[in-house]
Amino acid sequence: MASEAVAVKIQEGVAVDAVVPAASETSAQRKILLKSVEGEEFLVDELFARGSKMISNMIDDGFTEGAIPLPNVTAPVLSKVVEYWKHHVGKSETDKDAREFDRAFVKDASSSVLFDIIMAANYLDCKPLLDLACQAVADAIRDMNVEQVRGFFGITNDFTPEEEAAVLEENREWSNALTVTGNGQKESNEGGNIVLP
Amino acid sequence: MPSEPMNKKRRRKRRSNPSPPLPSSSPSSEQQEEEEEEVGLVGFHLKPSASSKSHTIQPLGNLLLLSGSSSNARDPGLGSLRPLPDDLLLDILTLLPAPDLARLAAVSKPFYVFSTHDPLWRNLVLRDLGGDFLFNGSWRSTYSGLVFPHPSISIRDFYSDYLFQSWLCANLDMRPEWLRTDNIDRRRGISVDEFIARFEEPNRPVLLEGCIDAWPAMAKWAPDWLIRTCGDKRFAVGPVKMTMERYFRYAAAAREERPLYLFDPRFAEKAPELGSDYEVPTFFREDLFGVLGEQRPDYRWIIIGPAGSGSSFHVDPNSTSAWNAVIKGSKKWVMFPPEVVPPGVHPSPDGAEVACPVSIMEWFMNFYSACRTWKKRPVECVCKAGEVVFVPNGWWHLVINLEDSIAITQNFVSRRNLLNVLDFLKKPNASELVSGTKDRTSLHDKFKNAIEAAYPGTIDELTLKAKEKIAREKKPTFWESVADANVGGFKFSF
């Protein structure tokens, strides 16, 4: 996945000194070396790497030599994170290109990839990416019924029959309450029926 | 005093080990039937209202301490969500509308536990119902109007530090040892000059007794009276506005980690009788922002909150000083001087953000004992009804209501901290940091000009005094004397 121009696989054996930035480079040109849990190294513009608050703090704290190890992030996930930074860091929030990227980014991601990205974004402290991935999961399960949610996450029903009946009854009362009283909320059941199986 | 951003989602990182309760003994089948939810919470001061039946979630430490093959009921029922920590799981659920969240309860037991987590429903109530809600015992019940037996299914062997800590903090009372220290200076009947010389000028906190006894508010203000007097007027409560009646209904029943409190800067405009029921104590009458008239930043608030409500560590905005008078109830204060950052608090370099990710209760549980061994120990007190606390500018402070409380607080600028305030307003990021006005960027200029107009020459006079003071107190280094023409030129300092 590390096919982007920014993320370059480093050959083993290349001295790290060879990629330490020269003092005369500005931060816009300086590159940072990131190392995934498998040891794979990614050379990333400092500007993009600062998309992670954690990395940004490490740079500010004087971490200038060698690779920044990221033991909680695998190479495939790190690659996607770097892609995200490339499309977002330094751009305005309404940038069309960034939004288009986001749409494709979440559309093609499986739920396990999304979870990995959620945990990586949390670890790296990259809130916009965390929000994006969480929203993608929420959007996926919204409007799903109970069986569909179970299927989506691979969950076996662990209620006893009595318990399940009790919870479903609770849900039925819920959906009645939302239809009948309305309770002032803007989002009652669209069209008048919440189907809570 | 600013309120915390209560409605803002905070990246709360819980400490991984809440003070471990004693483990329940190895469960035999009879014991399990008997007290299956008993976690052995010896040593915790739980509120009387916290029943052991109402919590069925245990901290992760208990899972490790149990012998035999025990597993966490949390994990299988989450499927592929299992590796996500609880706080991230809740972050996802926060994004769902109410009907979807309600439906998830039927998916599996852990989903039931998470989707009925009351703070999620608090967000939904505040977002969807605004200040119109009739609190119904829990946020979930409030949203639907239904009352739920809690819980409707039995939950055993569910271990989660995050959820347990959340329940614990909502149901803890303050420990006696947290309330014991009262080392603030207390004064009664001192003159204004003495206050200025001993406390305001040197920027030291003090608790003043006996200076608000004559306030009509002391005799009159009480929940019923406020409800009658304020009628339909709405007051700021977190992100919404509510009538007194609806607020007190909530406050009487609230059992949560960060209860909402009423904190309104326009209370005297909304209900003029409130404004005339108190007056500013003589010590604080010099109030230079007054030169701005209607354009001044927010400066006075009524604060009403139940036990447990309050504000975790912060510094007041605009570099102002403050006073806080308790009319009903009592408050615990913990204060640190400006140069001492409290444990557990991480201000950003520009001061724009104060990250204190822990709630007040968590702070006491995890950080309070640490700072008591420091050289610069905090100033602490319990401020009771009829007493007034002076918070000097720049001081960190944490406040928690120990019981249902009603108070008035005002921020002010006197000549003693005028220069500080002007400096603060001059800062390049002042527009983010300056609070309480609609027109932030030119507040500095407006204020400075207004002061010059009303009190000509004052600023120059104060600036001169300040420089003289610095020169007196500090011997310049060699290089400073060479470089700084203002400090009387070249001086040898050896």
Side-chain angles (χ1 to χ4, degrees), chain A residues 161-179:
Chain A
E162 296 79 28
E163 287 168 342
E164 184 157 19
V167 182
L168 289 176
E169 182 54 36
E170 222 173 73
N171 273 355
R172 241 188 302 279
E173 289 177 19
W174 245 102
S175 85
N176 287 340
L178 289 179
T179 27

Side-chain angles (χ1 to χ4, degrees), chain A residues 115 119 122 134-135 138 142-144 146 150 153 155 158-159 163 167 170-171 173-174 177 183 185 187 196, chain B residues 11 77 79-81 83 95 97 100 102-103 105-112 121 129 140 143-144 148 152-153:
Chain A
F115 299 154
M119 292 198 287
N122 186 49
C134 283
Q135 188 68 53
R142 204 180 143 158
D143 295 333
M144 277 189 184
V146 172
R150 286 184 186 147
F153 294 121
I155 295 170
D158 57 0
F159 288 120
E163 287 168 342
V167 182
E170 222 173 73
N171 273 355
E173 289 177 19
W174 245 102
N183 227 353
Q185 76 270 29
E187 272 227 32
L196 295 173
Chain B
R11 300 242 42 88
S80 56
L81 276 171
L95 300 169
D100 298 85
R103 193 181 313 134
V107 167
S108 68
K109 286 195 185 186
F111 264 92
Y112 183 89
W121 290 97
L129 307 183
R140 188 163 161 253
Y143 196 100
S144 66
F148 299 99
S152 70
I153 59 172

Side-chain angles (χ1 to χ4, degrees), chain A residues 77-149:
Chain A
V77 175
L78 184 53
S79 171
K80 286 194 100 63
V81 173
V82 172
E83 253 186 86
Y84 178 86
W85 290 335
K86 193 184 164 222
H87 282 86
H88 277 266
V89 177
K91 303 243 174 85
S92 91
E93 278 187 24
T94 49
D95 185 282
K96 265 183 67 184
D97 181 47
R99 285 174 157 221
E100 189 46 52
F101 170 83
D102 286 353
R103 259 190 293 273
F105 194 71
V106 300
K107 184 160 149 316
D108 298 333
S110 71
S111 61
S112 68
V113 167
L114 282 176
F115 299 154
D116 286 340
I117 288 176
I118 286 174
M119 292 198 287
N122 186 49
Y123 167 70
L124 293 168
D125 196 354
C126 179
K127 188 154 185 349
L129 178 57
L130 178 62
D131 289 347
L132 175 68
C134 283
Q135 188 68 53
V137 176
D139 289 343
I141 63 178
R142 204 180 143 158
D143 295 333
M144 277 189 184
N145 65 29
V146 172
E147 273 311 317
Q148 289 166 332
V149 173

